[in-house]
Amino acid sequence: MKKVHFIAIGGSAMHNLAIALHRKGYEVTGSDDEIFEPSKTRLANEGILPEKWGWYPEKLDNSYDAVILGMHARIDNPELIRAQELGLKVYSYPEYLYEQSKDKTRIVIGGSHGKTTITSMILHVLKQVGIETDFMVGAQLEGFDVMVRLSETAKYMVMEGDEYLTSPIDRVPKFHHYHPNIAVISGIGWDHVNVFPTFDCYLDQFRIFTDTIEPGGCLIYDGTDTEAEKIAQCAKVKTYGYGVHPFENDDIRTSLILPDGSRREVGVFGSHNMKNINAARLVCQQLGVSDAQFYEAIASFKGAARRLELLFGPLTGSGTNNGNYIFRDFAHAPSKVNASVKALREQFPRHHLLAVFELHTYSSLSEVFIDHYRDALNVADQAIVFYDPHAVAIKKLELMPDERIMAGFGRSDLKVVHNKTELMALLADSPKQNVIGAFMSSGDFNGLTTDDLKSLYA
């Protein structure tokens, strides 16, 4: 039995990998300075939650086969230093995923936006058609109780390919470690300005990713994206471009228009998701899934958690008397915000579209980046930006005046709020009938809950 220790086991990705290895039969231990939900309960349910918080280098000895280092652990972490002194093999999260999958066919979904959804679509289809696969995905999926699966039997490994840095001692993008046989670039829009200070530096990470594709592999890319197209033209492997899958909607439901002219209703909407469907279809083709099988399976896909996730509305059995639909979305980069708002406008053209966006990531809170959000909220009838001074202080950035944020978004009627109380007060004075509400953040709006929103819109 292999023995593995996790430094910073409570992270979203780390705790899922720990659970996957535990279920595979490994002896798993871990440490962290604090662990939040849902990681805490999930680790406890598996019997691998640390007994107390903190770093305990005395835990480590030569009996360990590997130490896996989380991104939020510091370079001077005492357990890391102890592991290095003992000469233990220290892996980053992506390095260890590669070790677990180097004998499998690896499918890696990269891109600035859409990668979680595309990965989720592929996994959903493969499960429906009975193809066993290992995986790593960045969101909780219906029908899957973990976000990482590792086995001895699966021939395939499907991975979401994040371009952010790997670990404190391995400062390269995660997806550079995976060496895909089948790679996807879903589209490119500058992000993570704290580590990629120019757009060309950011683009370089995708050029390197393309160079890591295994000989005989292929690249599937968004053919409507200028930068992805340029990178694909220089690829040393076969390339397949895709665009928006033909579709139609009737204000509430969306249907794919299939090659034979028939319709197939699907549970996601928006032009960006119609591109995501095409990307997933092309990947599944490479794995032997016919288009007929794909269309039948994708019809039951309901989306990944927090990706235009419907919290409540007529289709969920609540809010049935006022026509309101309230969505939660993980959008944070400009391209993601723009795509989500446009998707809702396309799907609900006659509703009042309310877009509430929290500036939460380092890039979004930075004044050097704020102008990249210009016009991202323009198709909304009402636009609100949540700007928390505490989040700015944590990231050691300078506060922007509200007027600078308004100028960055290019919208003079934009409202800027700074805490949950201000947001709730502003929403209380806003329309309450036939509202499409999009609450977009990689954070939580200072603890805004579904019940808070139901008190206004249900």
Side-chain angles (χ1 to χ4, degrees), residues 278-296:
N278 253 346
R281 181 178 62 84
L282 289 174
V283 169
C284 289
Q285 277 184 1
Q286 296 291 319
L287 304 181
V289 178
S290 70
D291 279 357
Q293 289 175 306
F294 177 85
Y295 288 128
E296 182 174 352

PDB file of all heavy atoms in Angstrom, residues 278-296:
ATOM      1  N   ASN A 278     -20.001  21.699 -28.983  1.00  0.00           N
ATOM      2  CA  ASN A 278     -19.239  21.254 -30.157  1.00  0.00           C
ATOM      3  C   ASN A 278     -17.851  20.759 -29.778  1.00  0.00           C
ATOM      4  O   ASN A 278     -17.353  19.775 -30.331  1.00  0.00           O
ATOM      5  CB  ASN A 278     -19.132  22.395 -31.177  1.00  0.00           C
ATOM      6  CG  ASN A 278     -20.019  22.166 -32.381  1.00  0.00           C
ATOM      7  OD1 ASN A 278     -20.517  21.056 -32.593  1.00  0.00           O
ATOM      8  ND2 ASN A 278     -20.207  23.192 -33.186  1.00  0.00           N
ATOM      9  N   ALA A 279     -17.205  21.451 -28.823  1.00  0.00           N
ATOM     10  CA  ALA A 279     -15.885  21.001 -28.363  1.00  0.00           C
ATOM     11  C   ALA A 279     -15.985  19.614 -27.750  1.00  0.00           C
ATOM     12  O   ALA A 279     -15.179  18.723 -28.054  1.00  0.00           O
ATOM     13  CB  ALA A 279     -15.324  22.001 -27.351  1.00  0.00           C
ATOM     14  N   ALA A 280     -16.977  19.416 -26.882  1.00  0.00           N
ATOM     15  CA  ALA A 280     -17.162  18.112 -26.239  1.00  0.00           C
ATOM     16  C   ALA A 280     -17.468  17.029 -27.273  1.00  0.00           C
ATOM     17  O   ALA A 280     -16.979  15.893 -27.178  1.00  0.00           O
ATOM     18  CB  ALA A 280     -18.280  18.199 -25.210  1.00  0.00           C
ATOM     19  N   ARG A 281     -18.262  17.371 -28.281  1.00  0.00           N
ATOM     20  CA  ARG A 281     -18.626  16.399 -29.322  1.00  0.00           C
ATOM     21  C   ARG A 281     -17.381  15.932 -30.083  1.00  0.00           C
ATOM     22  O   ARG A 281     -17.206  14.738 -30.343  1.00  0.00           O
ATOM     23  CB  ARG A 281     -19.635  17.030 -30.286  1.00  0.00           C
ATOM     24  CG  ARG A 281     -20.105  16.109 -31.398  1.00  0.00           C
ATOM     25  CD  ARG A 281     -21.140  16.804 -32.280  1.00  0.00           C
ATOM     26  NE  ARG A 281     -20.593  17.976 -32.947  1.00  0.00           N
ATOM     27  CZ  ARG A 281     -19.902  17.959 -34.093  1.00  0.00           C
ATOM     28  NH1 ARG A 281     -19.681  16.803 -34.704  1.00  0.00           N
ATOM     29  NH2 ARG A 281     -19.463  19.084 -34.621  1.00  0.00           N
ATOM     30  N   LEU A 282     -16.491  16.872 -30.418  1.00  0.00           N
ATOM     31  CA  LEU A 282     -15.288  16.513 -31.161  1.00  0.00           C
ATOM     32  C   LEU A 282     -14.350  15.654 -30.320  1.00  0.00           C
ATOM     33  O   LEU A 282     -13.707  14.729 -30.836  1.00  0.00           O
ATOM     34  CB  LEU A 282     -14.572  17.780 -31.639  1.00  0.00           C
ATOM     35  CG  LEU A 282     -15.286  18.551 -32.758  1.00  0.00           C
ATOM     36  CD1 LEU A 282     -14.576  19.863 -33.048  1.00  0.00           C
ATOM     37  CD2 LEU A 282     -15.367  17.702 -34.022  1.00  0.00           C
ATOM     38  N   VAL A 283     -14.254  15.955 -29.030  1.00  0.00           N
ATOM     39  CA  VAL A 283     -13.442  15.106 -28.148  1.00  0.00           C
ATOM     40  C   VAL A 283     -14.028  13.705 -28.093  1.00  0.00           C
ATOM     41  O   VAL A 283     -13.320  12.699 -28.231  1.00  0.00           O
ATOM     42  CB  VAL A 283     -13.347  15.710 -26.736  1.00  0.00           C
ATOM     43  CG1 VAL A 283     -12.732  14.697 -25.760  1.00  0.00           C
ATOM     44  CG2 VAL A 283     -12.525  16.990 -26.745  1.00  0.00           C
ATOM     45  N   CYS A 284     -15.327  13.605 -27.899  1.00  0.00           N
ATOM     46  CA  CYS A 284     -15.977  12.297 -27.792  1.00  0.00           C
ATOM     47  C   CYS A 284     -15.838  11.497 -29.085  1.00  0.00           C
ATOM     48  O   CYS A 284     -15.711  10.258 -29.043  1.00  0.00           O
ATOM     49  CB  CYS A 284     -17.442  12.465 -27.397  1.00  0.00           C
ATOM     50  SG  CYS A 284     -17.667  13.005 -25.677  1.00  0.00           S
ATOM     51  N   GLN A 285     -15.842  12.181 -30.220  1.00  0.00           N
ATOM     52  CA  GLN A 285     -15.587  11.490 -31.486  1.00  0.00           C
ATOM     53  C   GLN A 285     -14.236  10.780 -31.460  1.00  0.00           C
ATOM     54  O   GLN A 285     -14.099   9.645 -31.926  1.00  0.00           O
ATOM     55  CB  GLN A 285     -15.591  12.485 -32.658  1.00  0.00           C
ATOM     56  CG  GLN A 285     -16.954  12.834 -33.200  1.00  0.00           C
ATOM     57  CD  GLN A 285     -16.849  13.759 -34.418  1.00  0.00           C
ATOM     58  OE1 GLN A 285     -15.751  14.118 -34.846  1.00  0.00           O
ATOM     59  NE2 GLN A 285     -17.987  14.147 -34.957  1.00  0.00           N
ATOM     60  N   GLN A 286     -13.222  11.459 -30.915  1.00  0.00           N
ATOM     61  CA  GLN A 286     -11.881  10.885 -30.838  1.00  0.00           C
ATOM     62  C   GLN A 286     -11.851   9.628 -29.966  1.00  0.00           C
ATOM     63  O   GLN A 286     -10.971   8.784 -30.115  1.00  0.00           O
ATOM     64  CB  GLN A 286     -10.892  11.918 -30.289  1.00  0.00           C
ATOM     65  CG  GLN A 286     -10.692  13.141 -31.159  1.00  0.00           C
ATOM     66  CD  GLN A 286      -9.976  12.829 -32.452  1.00  0.00           C
ATOM     67  OE1 GLN A 286      -9.020  12.043 -32.481  1.00  0.00           O
ATOM     68  NE2 GLN A 286     -10.428  13.407 -33.547  1.00  0.00           N
ATOM     69  N   LEU A 287     -12.824   9.516 -29.066  1.00  0.00           N
ATOM     70  CA  LEU A 287     -12.882   8.380 -28.149  1.00  0.00           C
ATOM     71  C   LEU A 287     -13.860   7.299 -28.614  1.00  0.00           C
ATOM     72  O   LEU A 287     -14.173   6.373 -27.871  1.00  0.00           O
ATOM     73  CB  LEU A 287     -13.252   8.855 -26.748  1.00  0.00           C
ATOM     74  CG  LEU A 287     -12.343   9.932 -26.154  1.00  0.00           C
ATOM     75  CD1 LEU A 287     -12.801  10.302 -24.756  1.00  0.00           C
ATOM     76  CD2 LEU A 287     -10.892   9.470 -26.130  1.00  0.00           C
ATOM     77  N   GLY A 288     -14.353   7.443 -29.852  1.00  0.00           N
ATOM     78  CA  GLY A 288     -15.206   6.414 -30.426  1.00  0.00           C
ATOM     79  C   GLY A 288     -16.688   6.586 -30.183  1.00  0.00           C
ATOM     80  O   GLY A 288     -17.471   5.667 -30.457  1.00  0.00           O
ATOM     81  N   VAL A 289     -17.108   7.760 -29.704  1.00  0.00           N
ATOM     82  CA  VAL A 289     -18.532   8.020 -29.474  1.00  0.00           C
ATOM     83  C   VAL A 289     -19.128   8.596 -30.757  1.00  0.00           C
ATOM     84  O   VAL A 289     -18.639   9.604 -31.283  1.00  0.00           O
ATOM     85  CB  VAL A 289     -18.737   9.012 -28.312  1.00  0.00           C
ATOM     86  CG1 VAL A 289     -20.212   9.309 -28.107  1.00  0.00           C
ATOM     87  CG2 VAL A 289     -18.117   8.459 -27.032  1.00  0.00           C
ATOM     88  N   SER A 290     -20.173   7.986 -31.266  1.00  0.00           N
ATOM     89  CA  SER A 290     -20.812   8.496 -32.476  1.00  0.00           C
ATOM     90  C   SER A 290     -21.597   9.763 -32.154  1.00  0.00           C
ATOM     91  O   SER A 290     -21.968  10.008 -30.995  1.00  0.00           O
ATOM     92  CB  SER A 290     -21.755   7.450 -33.072  1.00  0.00           C
ATOM     93  OG  SER A 290     -22.893   7.284 -32.228  1.00  0.00           O
ATOM     94  N   ASP A 291     -21.866  10.570 -33.193  1.00  0.00           N
ATOM     95  CA  ASP A 291     -22.670  11.780 -32.979  1.00  0.00           C
ATOM     96  C   ASP A 291     -24.057  11.424 -32.446  1.00  0.00           C
ATOM     97  O   ASP A 291     -24.605  12.136 -31.596  1.00  0.00           O
ATOM     98  CB  ASP A 291     -22.783  12.584 -34.270  1.00  0.00           C
ATOM     99  CG  ASP A 291     -21.550  13.440 -34.530  1.00  0.00           C
ATOM    100  OD1 ASP A 291     -20.633  13.436 -33.672  1.00  0.00           O
ATOM    101  OD2 ASP A 291     -21.497  14.122 -35.573  1.00  0.00           O
ATOM    102  N   ALA A 292     -24.631  10.332 -32.943  1.00  0.00           N
ATOM    103  CA  ALA A 292     -25.963   9.935 -32.464  1.00  0.00           C
ATOM    104  C   ALA A 292     -25.926   9.634 -30.967  1.00  0.00           C
ATOM    105  O   ALA A 292     -26.810  10.057 -30.203  1.00  0.00           O
ATOM    106  CB  ALA A 292     -26.445   8.705 -33.238  1.00  0.00           C
ATOM    107  N   GLN A 293     -24.900   8.930 -30.524  1.00  0.00           N
ATOM    108  CA  GLN A 293     -24.754   8.654 -29.094  1.00  0.00           C
ATOM    109  C   GLN A 293     -24.540   9.947 -28.311  1.00  0.00           C
ATOM    110  O   GLN A 293     -25.093  10.138 -27.228  1.00  0.00           O
ATOM    111  CB  GLN A 293     -23.562   7.713 -28.853  1.00  0.00           C
ATOM    112  CG  GLN A 293     -23.755   6.285 -29.309  1.00  0.00           C
ATOM    113  CD  GLN A 293     -22.484   5.487 -29.130  1.00  0.00           C
ATOM    114  OE1 GLN A 293     -21.408   5.868 -29.622  1.00  0.00           O
ATOM    115  NE2 GLN A 293     -22.581   4.369 -28.426  1.00  0.00           N
ATOM    116  N   PHE A 294     -23.723  10.831 -28.880  1.00  0.00           N
ATOM    117  CA  PHE A 294     -23.418  12.082 -28.186  1.00  0.00           C
ATOM    118  C   PHE A 294     -24.678  12.914 -27.986  1.00  0.00           C
ATOM    119  O   PHE A 294     -24.945  13.399 -26.874  1.00  0.00           O
ATOM    120  CB  PHE A 294     -22.379  12.889 -28.974  1.00  0.00           C
ATOM    121  CG  PHE A 294     -22.074  14.226 -28.347  1.00  0.00           C
ATOM    122  CD1 PHE A 294     -21.134  14.322 -27.338  1.00  0.00           C
ATOM    123  CD2 PHE A 294     -22.751  15.379 -28.745  1.00  0.00           C
ATOM    124  CE1 PHE A 294     -20.859  15.548 -26.731  1.00  0.00           C
ATOM    125  CE2 PHE A 294     -22.487  16.604 -28.152  1.00  0.00           C
ATOM    126  CZ  PHE A 294     -21.540  16.687 -27.140  1.00  0.00           C
ATOM    127  N   TYR A 295     -25.465  13.101 -29.038  1.00  0.00           N
ATOM    128  CA  TYR A 295     -26.650  13.955 -28.936  1.00  0.00           C
ATOM    129  C   TYR A 295     -27.671  13.376 -27.952  1.00  0.00           C
ATOM    130  O   TYR A 295     -28.317  14.122 -27.205  1.00  0.00           O
ATOM    131  CB  TYR A 295     -27.283  14.142 -30.312  1.00  0.00           C
ATOM    132  CG  TYR A 295     -26.492  15.039 -31.228  1.00  0.00           C
ATOM    133  CD1 TYR A 295     -26.145  14.626 -32.521  1.00  0.00           C
ATOM    134  CD2 TYR A 295     -26.083  16.304 -30.811  1.00  0.00           C
ATOM    135  CE1 TYR A 295     -25.418  15.445 -33.363  1.00  0.00           C
ATOM    136  CE2 TYR A 295     -25.344  17.128 -31.651  1.00  0.00           C
ATOM    137  CZ  TYR A 295     -25.015  16.695 -32.922  1.00  0.00           C
ATOM    138  OH  TYR A 295     -24.288  17.518 -33.753  1.00  0.00           O
ATOM    139  N   GLU A 296     -27.800  12.076 -27.940  1.00  0.00           N
ATOM    140  CA  GLU A 296     -28.736  11.465 -26.994  1.00  0.00           C
ATOM    141  C   GLU A 296     -28.264  11.692 -25.552  1.00  0.00           C
ATOM    142  O   GLU A 296     -29.060  12.000 -24.670  1.00  0.00           O
ATOM    143  CB  GLU A 296     -28.860   9.966 -27.266  1.00  0.00           C
ATOM    144  CG  GLU A 296     -29.860   9.275 -26.342  1.00  0.00           C
ATOM    145  CD  GLU A 296     -30.092   7.820 -26.701  1.00  0.00           C
ATOM    146  OE1 GLU A 296     -29.601   7.374 -27.754  1.00  0.00           O
ATOM    147  OE2 GLU A 296     -30.775   7.131 -25.925  1.00  0.00           O
TER     148      GLU A 296
END
